[in-house]
Amino acid sequence: MIRDFTRTIAARDGYPLAATIFEPEFAQGGPIVVLNSATAVPRKIYGPFAKALAARGATVLTYDYRGIGDSRPARLRGFRARMRDWAALDAAGLVDHAVAHYPNRRLLGVGHSFGGQVFGIMPGNERFDRVLMIAAQAGYWRLLAGGEKWRVYVILKAIVPAVALPVGFVPGKRLGLGEDLPLGVFLEWRRWCLSPRYYYDDSSLDLLANLPTLRATALAVGLSDDAWATPSAIDLLVSKLTNSVERRTITPADIGVREIGHFGFFRAEHQKTLWPDMTDWLLAT
């Protein structure tokens, strides 16, 4: 029996983040999992996977970054947030909460796309024992596959700025980019995506000092049909991590489907194919 309940968890600066906690009804002492979302993706997408982990005895915390989903303010225009805040304040705040409310429990992490990028730069990353990074990559646009790189380049350079700057935020839902984004988040993400070494090129990003403190055992999982998290993009992301990172690539043929892509891993249809091996790895002692 899995219990799930919604609550507000404070980021490190006190900003209220909407979160959902999944926990087994009777298990005591199991690991705590903090699940970091992808850019512009609400936490509800990860609910089925969180329940699968809870069924294995883990307590799982999912949450929305500031400006996204249920952590969005009433008015997004003029809302001050940068992408680095999601790591420095939001993800770190979830870890603080996990450590304070579930003391003496193993802390594990799951990160999708940007959520996997968070582990290397967030404060408090030394607390993790194991981290599972799904389709997590350095987002430099030239590392994308095929025509997707040019589509993204045009979006970053022309389409979104032309639409977002006048209205004061990125109307992602109307542009087919997922959730609406705070303008500051997009502008920082845009700058990183246009830089050959992604956020490693950002001399103002003092969070890079946290790279050596991530000592968790890590698994970086790529999907062969993912145009975003290509092998080269994953290589760049993990190249600066000082901990041990295992790499795996999954193809759709491995599980008898036509496609998985950047977002497909977390679809409930894969709970009997993709998820068992990954949960086994994450929960291993």
Side-chain angles (χ1 to χ4, degrees), residues 87-98:
L89 303 174
D90 299 353
L94 263 290
V95 168
D96 292 344
H97 177 91

Side-chain angles (χ1 to χ4, degrees), residues 92-116:
L94 263 290
V95 168
D96 292 344
H97 177 91
V99 171
H101 288 78
Y102 305 95
N104 304 315
R105 308 266 286 270
R106 290 177 69 217
L107 181 64
L108 311 175
V110 176
H112 177 211
S113 194
F114 176 75

Side-chain angles (χ1 to χ4, degrees), residues 31 38 56 61 68 250 268 273:
R56 297 282 303 274
L61 281 61
I68 299 295
I250 299 171
T273 53

